[in-house]
Every structure is written in structure tokens, then in C-alpha cells.
Amino acid sequence: MIHRKKDLLLDKIIQKYIHSQEPIGSEALKMSLSIKISSATIRNYFKLLSEEGVLMQPHISSGRVPTHLALKNYWRNKLNAKDTILEINIQKFQKACEENSIFGIIKENAPQALQEVINHNDRFLILDFTTDQIILPFNQAMQRFANELVGLGIGDIKKIAQQVCATTLVKKLEAITENAQLSYFGIEFLGFLLQHKEFQKLFFEIISGRIFDRLDKGIYFDTTIPKGNIAIIQDIELEKKDTKMPCKMFCMGALDRDYISFYEKIAS
């Protein structure tokens, strides 16, 4: 019972903090709860949650705010980027990014799959994709390797080529993937990366779309991006000319942004 009530209080504190961006006091929290609980009991829970490292008090006379640990755990439980495909309206996506101070980028996936591997007189290998081609110097091992990749998309082939250190193939594939159409919004919320030398590479990796090649769909925190932020990669279907186009979405922002509201607003 204690654990359930404590978790309920923590969830409510996080929700109120995300909406107000202000420390939450015991009286304000009490008024927003659907259960009967005294201010003194709430303060006792505040103490327990602070000892667990999920709440902190910015000033002696102020209320509590959730720590980065609390916010990360909250979003892990609330968001599911791996098993869902969202239907997105790009105008709503743009508006949601701006209103929630979140950077977002959509990569429209061109239907690029390897159709055939052509040996040209034992001099060149031509890898024929749906709408493009790349040419490699002939090599029997490369020909066998490429033939095993027929039917796969460029992104999957690139990941496999990186794993086996086929650097020439990776470079050739990059020339094709860079032609993918990218739409990004709220870039001002990503600009802080340029202020830190260690994050400048990440900035250019994101806006170029190469982040989609390096990371799989899912939720990412401070082992991948700067501390205090969250990044999400997800499969989406983009509304376009009365059709649904399979694409990918990347969004990134501070942990205290309202991602539930963001997801509600981007749905088509």
C-alpha cells in the first residue's frame, strides 16, 4: 500500500511539474489528488522520495522537483517507441514541436532495395537498387557478400556492411541515403549542442539524418545524448497525398517537456 501510494504521489508530482515548471509543494499536491491524504503525510513521502534520489528541493523554502532519474523512469514507463507505428500529419508535427519546445525530424524512406548484383567482365560490380546504382571494383568475396543482401533495403545493408568493416561499400551507400528527404522542425531547440564541442558531431549527425543509420528505434538517454534530455526514434506513417508513407521520426528535447501532449498533438 505504501509503495503504491508513493508511486502515485511521484507520478502526480512529475505531471504537475511538467505542466507548471515550478517546484511542487505539499498543499498544492494535496489539492490535486483524488485520494484523501494530509499535508503532513505528503511531506513524509517527500522525504522518502528524496532519500531515494527521485525528488530534490531546489531551495530550503521551496517545494520539490523530480530528478533526472525520476523523469527517465517516468518516460520509460509512459512511452513505447518500439512496438507502435504512428500515423503522423506533418503540419501537426511541426506545431507540436514548436509548442512543446522539442526538436523533430522526419525521414521519408525512399523504396530503395537491392534488386540485383551485376558482374561486369570481372572488372566492376554493379549493385542495382530500386532507383539508383552503385559501382564497386570487382572482388569475388564482395560479389558473394552482395548476393546475400539482395532484397534488403539500404539501411539494413549499411548496418551489415559496417559490422563487417566493408568501408568502401558503406561510403557508396552513404551517397544514396543522403538523398532521402528530411523535414525538421524546432531546430532552435537543438542548437545548444553546438555550444559544446563534444556534442557538435551529434548535432550534424542528427540534422543530416545519419542518426537513423546509427540508432535503432527506441528511447535514448544520457549514454547516447546529453544528460537531462531524451531522444526517441520511431517508425511512423506519414500522411501524404491521400496515402500513408512509411517513414521514421526522431525527436529530442529536455526531460521535463510534455511528451504525452506532444504525442497527442502529432497524431493525424
Side-chain angles (χ1 to χ4, degrees):
M1 183 68 175
I2 290 176
H3 288 293
R4 192 176 70 82
K5 192 173 287 188
K6 187 172 62 172
D7 291 342
L8 174 67
L9 288 174
L10 180 59
D11 259 25
K12 198 67 177 180
I13 291 167
I14 291 173
Q15 291 165 17
K16 287 185 67 62
Y17 176 71
I18 287 171
H19 291 149
S20 70
Q21 299 292 306
E22 297 287 343
I24 309 302
S26 56
E27 286 297 329
L29 184 61
K30 177 184 175 182
M31 292 175 62
S32 67
L33 292 171
S34 58
I35 59 173
K36 289 186 178 181
I37 187 170
S38 70
S39 298
T41 302
I42 289 176
R43 286 193 290 272
N44 287 335
Y45 279 113
F46 276 1
K47 186 177 183 219
L48 284 172
L49 291 166
S50 297
E51 289 171 353
E52 291 176 7
V54 292
L55 285 186
M56 60 178 289
Q57 189 174 22
H59 308 288
I60 294 175
S61 59
S62 70
R64 297 326 196 259
V65 300
T67 63
H68 288 167
L69 174 62
L71 289 167
K72 286 192 290 185
N73 290 336
Y74 181 79
W75 292 126
R76 282 191 187 102
N77 291 328
K78 297 293 183 182
L79 302 176
N80 178 14
K82 288 187 176 181
D83 302 323
T84 57
I85 299 177
L86 297 175
E87 293 184 2
I88 299 293
N89 175 287
I90 199 164
Q91 286 78 26
K92 290 181 179 179
F93 183 81
Q94 178 179 5
K95 187 176 180 182
C97 287
E98 293 168 353
E99 291 181 350
N100 291 279
S101 302
I102 294 169
F103 168 80
I105 182 170
I106 290 175
K107 178 184 176 184
E108 296 186 23
N109 298 333
Q112 288 275 43
L114 181 58
Q115 304 294 310
E116 186 181 6
V117 179
I118 303 167
N119 178 348
H120 181 68
N121 298 328
D122 286 351
R123 294 184 61 199
F124 304 106
L125 288 176
I126 303 171
L127 274 60
D128 187 23
F129 289 86
T130 309
T131 60
D132 214 330
Q133 295 176 331
I134 62 174
I135 299 175
L136 299 169
F138 175 77
N139 179 290
Q140 285 186 344
M142 176 57 74
Q143 183 176 9
R144 288 194 299 270
F145 175 66
N147 278 324
E148 293 176 357
L149 304 175
V150 171
L152 296 182
I154 285 179
D156 291 331
I157 293 174
K158 187 176 177 183
K159 287 178 182 177
I160 295 170
Q162 287 171 331
Q163 291 170 0
V164 299
C165 299
T167 54
T168 302
L169 177 56
V170 170
K171 289 179 181 178
K172 292 281 188 176
L173 290 170
E174 284 176 346
I176 300 178
T177 55
E178 286 174 357
N179 292 329
Q181 184 173 338
L182 302 171
S183 303
Y184 45 85
F185 308 100
I187 196 168
E188 63 271 25
F189 307 122
L190 197 69
F192 74 97
L193 294 177
L194 293 174
Q195 301 172 13
H196 305 278
K197 189 174 181 181
E198 66 270 33
F199 300 136
Q200 290 175 4
K201 181 180 177 182
L202 176 62
F203 175 86
F204 291 108
E205 186 179 41
I206 291 171
I207 63 168
S208 68
R210 291 196 299 272
I211 194 73
F212 292 102
D213 298 323
R214 182 166 70 87
L215 298 180
D216 293 322
K217 58 185 179 180
I219 300 172
Y220 297 88
F221 297 105
D222 44 16
T223 56
T224 305
I225 60 172
K227 187 176 181 180
N229 292 274
I230 178 176
I232 305 165
I233 292 183
Q234 186 156 4
D235 290 332
I236 64 171
E237 289 186 342
L238 184 66
E239 277 189 354
K240 199 160 188 179
K241 295 179 181 178
D242 299 323
T243 64
K244 293 286 194 292
M245 178 180 293
C247 303
K248 286 188 179 293
M249 173 190 83
F250 173 92
C251 62
M252 176 175 162
L255 284 168
D256 60 6
R257 300 298 92 190
D258 191 345
Y259 294 92
I260 292 176
S261 171
F262 174 76
Y263 269 83
E264 290 173 347
K265 289 174 181 175
I266 65 178
S268 61

